[in-house]
């Protein structure tokens, strides 16, 4: 886990494949402190975004939200970072983010970017039904492709969510299990009052 932040209606965790990340970044940035990495800014984040290692963005929703509002929140920031030839790919990604019924508290959206620098997959986990929906797998590589553009939402100099560049804050949740990366362990449908309180605290403490 390299970052964990609360962004409006969801908590975002960013996970990377450690060996690949080290191979991509250590030759240039070994021994530098967090403050020093922030000082080199564009160079470090450009190399991070372009690095050929797996990255997983895991969004845990803190409250219900209709699909159109969630998609609208991503649309401008995402499509403005895609080249013209990838705009149709971007529309497919946006449509696949969540089901038509929208999201509910504790639903989990996972966007996984493979190490090949072009393959992107989206899955959605319903907290209410425990259903797992593998919504999209596609290839959209290159500087203006979706693989790069999605990351640049968070790591460009003009990112609308600059906190993630600073590593977020607060203690992160447990990482995804190896067998089901990006999805919390299965549990029964419905939640006790204690579970609801724990979820609320997790979303509000950041």
């Amino acid at each position: 886990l390299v970052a964990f932040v609360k962004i409006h209606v969801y908590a975002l965790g960013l996970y990377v494949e450690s060996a690949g990340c080290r191979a991509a970044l250590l030759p240039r940035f070994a021994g530098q402190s967090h403050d020093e990495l922030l000082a080199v800014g564009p160079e470090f984040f450009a190399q991070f975004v372009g690095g050929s290692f797996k990255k997983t963005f895991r969004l845990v929703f803190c409250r219900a939200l209709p699909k159109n509002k969630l998609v609208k929140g991503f649309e401008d920031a995402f499509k403005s970072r895609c080249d013209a030839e990838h705009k149709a790919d971007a529309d497919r990604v946006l449509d696949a983010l969540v089901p038509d019924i929208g999201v509910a508290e504790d639903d989990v959206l996972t966007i996984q970017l493979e190490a090949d620098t072009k393959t992107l997959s989206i899955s959605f986990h319903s907290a209410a039904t425990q259903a797992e929906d593998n919504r999209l797998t596609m290839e959209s590589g290159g500087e203006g492709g979706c693989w790069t553009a999605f990351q640049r939402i968070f790591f460009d100099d003009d990112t609308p969510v600059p906190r993630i560049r600073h590593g977020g804050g607060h203690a992160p949740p447990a990482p995804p299990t190896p067998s089901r990366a990006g999805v919390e362990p299965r549990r029964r449908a419905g939640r006790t009052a204690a579970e609801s309180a724990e979820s609320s605290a997790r979303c509000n403490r950041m």
Side-chain angles (χ1 to χ4, degrees):
L1 179 74
V2 295
F4 179 59
V5 295
K6 167 86 180 306
I7 302 173
H8 302 305
V9 298
Y10 58 83
L12 169 65
L14 170 59
Y15 300 83
V16 301
E17 187 270 306
S18 59
C21 183
R22 286 195 298 268
L25 300 179
L26 279 182
R28 169 62 181 85
F29 301 106
Q32 296 192 34
S33 68
H34 184 256
D35 288 343
E36 288 170 334
L37 292 177
L38 291 176
V40 299
E43 181 185 358
F44 171 74
F45 290 112
Q47 195 157 329
F48 178 89
V49 167
S52 55
F53 52 91
K54 183 182 293 187
K55 308 173 184 89
T56 301
F57 291 80
R58 183 174 182 265
L59 288 70
V60 181
F61 292 93
C62 301
R63 64 177 177 85
L65 191 73
K67 178 173 181 172
N68 65 322
K69 286 190 176 181
L70 178 69
V71 171
K72 186 64 177 177
F74 278 99
E75 186 172 18
D76 291 344
F78 181 45
K79 293 186 72 173
S80 67
R81 290 168 166 83
C82 291
D83 288 346
E85 64 184 284
H86 293 282
K87 297 294 187 185
D89 291 338
D91 286 333
R92 291 179 61 199
V93 170
L94 291 168
D95 185 61
L97 287 177
V98 297
D100 291 341
I101 62 172
V103 303
E105 184 180 354
D106 281 349
D107 285 350
V108 180
L109 168 64
T110 302
I111 299 99
Q112 186 160 289
L113 309 173
E114 300 296 338
D116 62 4
T117 72
K118 62 182 180 180
T119 302
L120 175 151
S121 62
I122 296 173
S123 62
F124 187 85
H125 178 76
S126 168
T129 67
Q130 298 297 299
E132 185 75 18
D133 184 3
N134 296 313
R135 298 182 56 79
L136 177 70
T137 298
M138 63 180 292
E139 293 183 359
S140 181
E143 180 63 25
C146 294
W147 190 92
T148 299
F150 189 84
Q151 298 179 73
R152 289 179 57 202
I153 295 173
F154 304 100
F155 293 110
D156 276 359
D157 284 345
D158 60 346
T159 173
V161 283
R163 283 184 60 205
I164 197 169
R165 287 168 53 117
H166 295 263
H170 306 289
T177 58
S179 59
R180 299 176 66 245
V183 178
E184 293 178 330
R186 290 189 180 276
R187 54 187 172 94
R188 66 188 183 279
R191 297 181 301 157
T192 66
E195 288 174 320
S196 295
E198 180 183 3
S199 171
S200 177
R202 184 179 69 241
C203 290
N204 291 331
R205 69 172 177 244
M206 290 164 286

